[in-house]
Amino acid sequence: MKITCQKADLVKGVNIVSKAVPTRTTMAILECILIDASSGEIKLTANDMEIGIETIINGNIEERGIIALDAKTFSDIVRMLPDNEVTISTDASFLTYITCEDAEYKIVGKSGEDFSYIPVIQRNQPIIISQLTLKDIIRQTIFSVADNENNKLMTGELIEIKDNKLKVVALDGHRVSIRNVDLKNPANDVKVIVPKKTLNEITKIIDGGIDDEVSIYVTDNHIIFEYDKTTVVSRIIEGEFFKIEQMLSADYETKIKINKRKFFDCVNGATPFIIEVDKKPIIVNAVDNSMSLSFSSVKGSMNRTVDIVKEGKDIMIGFNPKFVLDALKVIDDEEINLYMLNAKSPCFIKDDAGSYTYIVLPVNFNNPGAN
């Protein structure tokens, strides 16, 4: 094999596929990036058997071939090359030469035939969405996905399409994040759970705007994301996602309208005193058109007050401050609405248009002076 390409194109391609190189594996071939120039285009691929990424880069093929190179070594070398044309060539023993201007490197490669290729999956009708919208949806929900593996279903997000409306749901047992988007293009109804890792990597490699599109394909076992010259294939999580419809009850006895930035600043004021293992709540006390927020631990205490517009009953309720902050960080609205039934029921943060809903479960507390 012998190919030439610009360093910038090579670096971009390597950065994209590196997201699918496993950090730990018993299969040495999976620690490699595959360079496939056997069919008239230069394709880079990485695959950890859960997520596979391939991308096509610009360049010229002088001799067709295929080689697998250790991902870390190859990536480190590529980044150090001069900003010029790069030549990559191999010999019959898989020894690979990488040259650029006065720089020359040699890497011992592996046979590309041993590489675990991304499965060939039949495409159905695509779900088409802008790259910017997809990134925003993931950013605004991914923090609610559970980190532990105790319940596999909680380690992914539900992607559901019904009547041409996209719903994305994430939950971890203490909170729920929901985003709803109207699709511009027709799409079949689907319901699939996508691993958190896949969605995190998607946000890292997609850099397009509102006019750049991603095509998403869903099968029984896989989900595929295609954009530009890059394809991401991921396994899905099998099982039936949690039924949250009962949680979305419209019943509430208190509605509070509040400036998001001021609310965030008040809750954030508790962070210097938070001790994670103590699970202390921040106590919210809404009376008339004023809300007081208090927090105390062995480190110290905080009291803040903010103006609100309240409808319905006064309420005192406790929350994990981190869960509230996580939701507030991703809401772009200047003002937000809180809906609460009582101190034992979840708090809803949602907009009038129904584009987002954040549900935070309350935390029990004894009294305002003993948090």
Side-chain angles (χ1 to χ4, degrees):
M1 182 189 80
K2 185 175 183 180
I3 61 172
T4 58
C5 61
Q6 291 298 315
K7 177 200 172 179
D9 293 328
L10 186 58
V11 168
K12 182 178 180 181
V14 168
N15 286 342
I16 288 172
V17 300
S18 291
K19 304 296 188 296
V21 176
T23 53
R24 295 186 186 89
T25 179
T26 57
M27 300 173 63
I29 193 67
L30 296 183
E31 297 175 341
C32 295
I33 290 175
L34 183 74
I35 305 176
D36 186 346
S38 62
S39 59
E41 57 188 12
I42 303 173
K43 183 186 297 183
L44 306 183
T45 304
N47 184 10
D48 70 359
M49 307 307 287
E50 293 294 328
I51 177 174
I53 304 176
E54 63 181 30
T55 192
I56 297 169
I57 63 172
N58 295 325
N60 296 313
I61 301 173
E62 297 183 32
E63 296 178 14
R64 295 192 179 196
I66 185 170
I67 192 74
L69 301 176
D70 179 82
K72 186 179 186 312
T73 304
F74 182 47
S75 178
D76 289 345
I77 290 173
V78 166
R79 291 189 180 92
M80 292 187 291
L81 293 173
D83 294 326
N84 211 326
E85 187 176 78
V86 180
T87 299
I88 302 175
S89 59
T90 63
D91 62 20
S93 63
F94 308 121
L95 186 62
T96 302
Y97 301 83
I98 303 172
T99 59
C100 181
E101 293 185 0
D102 59 352
E104 180 179 274
Y105 294 87
K106 297 178 183 178
I107 308 177
V108 177
K110 295 182 173 66
S111 170
E113 304 300 327
D114 298 331
F115 194 83
S116 298
Y117 282 84
I118 292 176
V120 177
I121 300 170
Q122 184 176 358
R123 302 324 196 236
N124 48 22
Q125 183 182 26
I127 303 161
I128 299 175
I129 189 170
S130 82
Q131 294 184 26
L132 181 62
T133 300
L134 180 60
K135 286 190 71 167
D136 278 347
I137 289 172
I138 296 171
R139 175 180 63 87
Q140 292 166 342
T141 54
I142 198 75
F143 58 86
S144 290
V145 178
D147 290 323
N148 63 67
E149 296 283 338
N150 292 338
N151 192 321
K152 191 71 174 177
L153 294 175
M154 286 188 181
T155 63
E157 291 198 340
L158 173 70
I159 294 180
E160 181 178 13
I161 295 175
K162 190 173 183 180
D163 300 329
N164 235 50
K165 296 180 184 295
L166 169 65
K167 176 191 285 187
V168 177
V169 182
L171 54 81
D172 63 3
H174 303 284
R175 53 184 169 176
V176 183
S177 295
I178 305 169
R179 281 285 279 113
N180 295 293
V181 175
D182 291 326
L183 297 175
K184 296 179 180 179
N185 299 286
N188 293 329
D189 289 359
V190 299
K191 194 172 185 180
V192 65
I193 307 171
V194 184
K196 178 180 181 178
K197 177 185 176 181
T198 299
L199 298 173
N200 269 332
E201 302 307 345
I202 287 290
T203 62
K204 294 174 185 176
I205 63 178
I206 290 179
D207 55 8
I210 193 70
D211 296 324
D212 300 304
E213 295 180 337
V214 180
S215 294
I216 304 172
Y217 303 88
V218 177
T219 71
D220 290 341
N221 300 306
H222 295 88
I223 186 167
I224 306 162
F225 300 84
E226 286 187 344
Y227 72 98
D228 299 335
K229 297 180 178 180
T230 298
T231 300
V232 180
V233 178
S234 169
R235 292 184 182 274
I236 60 175
I237 298 174
E238 297 181 359
E240 185 70 22
F241 200 73
F242 304 92
K243 298 185 185 301
I244 63 168
E245 287 73 16
Q246 290 183 338
M247 293 186 65
L248 302 178
S249 168
D251 292 340
Y252 67 92
E253 293 191 357
T254 306
K255 176 184 177 182
I256 295 172
K257 180 178 287 187
I258 188 170
N259 179 279
K260 191 206 77 170
R261 171 48 59 184
K262 291 181 179 178
F263 188 33
F264 179 90
D265 289 343
C266 287
V267 179
N268 196 45
T271 54
F273 307 114
I274 293 175
I275 303 172
E276 289 295 333
V277 294
D278 287 347
K279 310 289 185 187
K280 298 282 189 179
I282 188 167
I283 297 178
V284 175
N285 189 17
V287 179
D288 297 330
N289 288 320
S290 178
M291 177 192 286
S292 65
L293 297 96
S294 60
F295 184 90
S296 70
S297 71
V298 294
K299 288 185 176 182
S301 64
M302 174 217 76
N303 288 281
R304 300 283 295 266
T305 303
V306 61
D307 293 334
I308 60 173
V309 176
K310 181 176 67 66
E311 299 176 15
K313 295 183 177 181
D314 295 345
I315 190 169
M316 181 181 291
I317 190 169
F319 298 111
N320 182 318
K322 179 183 184 303
F323 295 163
V324 177
L325 289 173
D326 284 345
L328 296 179
K329 286 175 184 177
V330 300
I331 297 175
D332 297 326
D333 294 343
E334 184 177 345
E335 288 189 323
I336 59 172
N337 294 319
L338 313 179
Y339 298 85
M340 290 165 283
L341 182 62
N342 54 54
K344 303 294 185 181
S345 300
C347 171
F348 290 73
I349 307 173
K350 57 183 180 179
D351 63 336
D352 294 333
S355 66
Y356 65 79
T357 300
Y358 297 98
I359 305 173
V360 182
L361 271 61
V363 177
N364 292 330
F365 60 93
N366 295 322
N367 58 65
N371 299 331

